[in-house]
Amino acid sequence: MKQSRANVANAKPAAVPAPRKKTSANSMWGGRFAAAPSALMEQVNASIAFDKALATQDLAGSRAHCTMLIETGIVSAADGRAILKGLEKIAGEIAAGTFTFTPALEDIHMHVEARLGELIGPAAGRLHTARSRNDQVATDLRLWVRDAIDRLDDTLRDLQTALVERAEEHAGTILPGFTHLQPAQPVTFGHHLLAYFEMLDRDRGRMRDCRARLNESPLGAAALAGTSFPIDRKRTASLLGFTAPCANSMDAVSARDFVIEFLGAAAIAATHLSRLAEELVMWASPAFGFITFSDAFSTGSSIMPQKRNPDAAELVRGKAGRVIGALVGMLVVMKGLPLTYGKDMQEDKEPTFATAEQLELCVRVTAGMVRDLRANPVAMRASAEKGYLTATDLADWLVQALGVPFRKAHEMTGAIVRVAENRGVTLAELSLAELRSVEPRITKAVFQALSVEASVARRTSLGGTAPKLVRAAVARAKKRLTRP
């Protein structure tokens, strides 16, 4: 699943040579144009400010294309060797930050071609044989998203590992589980954390599915109709690690569903992170007091000296909005486009790059918070005593011990809860006589079911919160983390 991790998304080009000389018309467009575009046209048309992030992938695609052109005899071996040598020189310049970027050359493809011409002369013009910027950018972006998915898979696995480590530590730590943000039933902290492990596992699965579907090569589809040259698309697909060439040339250059699918999977993952972040924010508040963060993941107030703010969690929660917005934006861009390529599709890159960067950061920050947090089992246990969390256990006991139909047991338990509320005590603190005032057949054995410890221990159905099940789930999770 691993591909090259080289990425120049954050590379800062050095202010080196002066910009290349501007001609009357863009030489890459050929003789159809006699005059240069207006400054405004140049500004709105240029994408190099962001698509230079595709440099590594663009160079890889060019090397594969050139290799195929040599092997098929479309380009001579001498010209091909010169092209490959020039591409390596360009790769070194970009990696070193000495490559000159200018809006006049629009995008990464034209930058590479122009620089190649400077380095090796007219032979550079042969590289673009049997391809178009349309299939180039589609290929580059698929390669980039594929690499981003591989990086995200690593970071998501690390977050899962952090959750499993803390779940094992707190397999028997009791805290209240909530529905409607109201106390519902006692659960264990380990069980709660493993719920997020499962969500993240599905996130990784969605990313892997997306990767498998996008892993087809558009290269050789040319502008939209294919080419008359005797190219070998299977060869370039193989060189780039794709499973096969895209089957339809029009689909190859116009499809961006792989971007949408990636953004969709990212939006779901960001939503999961945001839900965990919200719980971390609540748990860290004095009203809950379930956890505390060290100074490494806390901030202060400019005016209130006592404050310890869980800003890292709040930022993870907030950034989910950006990721979800990128998905919506991309859907809107694509929804009305006829086949095949439209310049609207240039808008696919910035949200994709930003989403991958922000999601990876959020995953890493969340893993840091999970490892950093210090749980407060005493506060968790005390909170589990509030809200009559063992009421369902009492109803279950009435069904199991006395044979009461569950709906009747539910009604009787509600009446007993009302007695406890009136007295201001827990269910376990009621006397046997008070319990019998609702149901005379209740015996003292009922008290074995009314503690929160007994409640979690009895939840032994598959996927339940019983500590022994949590420990078994931790063991299974560790095995799942070792799979390729």
Side-chain angles (χ1 to χ4, degrees), residues 129-406:
T129 305
R131 74 173 184 182
S132 162
R133 284 192 296 173
N134 291 358
D135 62 337
Q136 269 189 276
V137 69
T139 301
D140 292 357
L141 193 53
R142 284 180 187 246
L143 291 171
W144 195 96
V145 172
R146 191 176 71 183
D147 289 344
I149 287 173
D150 290 343
R151 290 192 302 274
L152 278 166
D153 188 69
D154 284 345
T155 54
L156 286 166
R157 181 193 286 113
D158 182 62
L159 174 53
Q160 286 183 296
T161 301
L163 290 166
V164 169
E165 291 167 352
R166 301 316 299 270
E168 184 172 31
E169 179 184 353
H170 292 286
T173 301
I174 295 173
L175 78 167
F178 296 87
T179 64
H180 308 278
L181 203 54
Q182 299 297 312
Q185 291 180 295
V187 295
T188 68
F189 191 33
H191 191 58
H192 196 127
L193 294 175
L194 287 179
Y196 286 103
F197 174 92
E198 297 295 336
M199 294 181 205
L200 295 170
D201 217 46
R202 293 192 295 275
D203 291 328
R204 290 179 63 197
R206 274 182 283 270
M207 289 290 183
R208 286 193 294 268
D209 291 345
C210 175
R211 189 189 194 282
R213 267 185 289 277
L214 71 80
N215 204 31
E216 295 182 345
S217 175
L219 196 57
L224 76 160
T227 177
S228 60
F229 288 94
I231 61 172
D232 185 349
R233 292 190 62 213
K234 290 183 179 179
R235 175 60 170 153
T236 51
S238 175
L239 288 169
L240 292 170
F242 288 114
T243 55
C246 295
N248 182 285
S249 62
M250 296 179 75
D251 176 59
V253 299
S254 65
R256 291 298 183 271
D257 53 345
F258 69 94
V259 173
I260 293 169
E261 185 174 6
F262 170 69
L263 295 176
I268 295 171
T271 300
H272 289 156
L273 296 179
S274 182
R275 295 185 72 181
L276 175 54
E278 168 64 10
E279 295 204 294
L280 294 176
V281 170
M282 291 192 305
W283 292 343
S285 69
F288 282 80
F290 291 177
I291 64 171
T292 55
F293 290 114
S294 74
D295 292 351
F297 286 92
S298 301
T299 63
S301 165
S302 64
I303 190 173
M304 295 169 283
Q306 84 282 6
K307 293 292 295 297
R308 289 182 64 84
N309 298 326
D311 280 6
E314 292 172 6
L315 288 165
V316 168
R317 186 178 61 188
K319 287 180 184 294
R322 295 178 59 181
V323 176
I324 295 167
L327 169 61
V328 174
M330 191 62 204
L331 286 166
V332 173
V333 166
M334 295 300 298
K335 72 174 183 63
L337 295 187
L339 296 182
T340 54
Y341 182 81
K343 204 59 179 277
D344 319 48
M345 292 160 69
Q346 185 167 287
E347 297 300 312
D348 59 3
K349 297 171 195 64
E350 286 182 287
T352 302
F353 299 159
T355 291
E357 178 185 7
Q358 293 300 311
L359 181 58
E360 185 175 348
L361 175 62
C362 287
V363 175
R364 292 171 56 204
V365 168
T366 304
M369 289 189 291
V370 169
R371 290 189 169 104
D372 179 78
L373 68 84
R374 185 175 75 243
N376 185 347
V378 174
M380 291 179 177
R381 175 66 174 73
S383 183
E385 289 289 357
K386 302 173 183 177
Y388 308 100
L389 270 64
T390 58
T392 304
D393 298 274
L394 174 55
D396 289 347
W397 185 91
L398 292 170
V399 172
Q400 294 166 346
L402 303 182
V404 178
F406 181 79

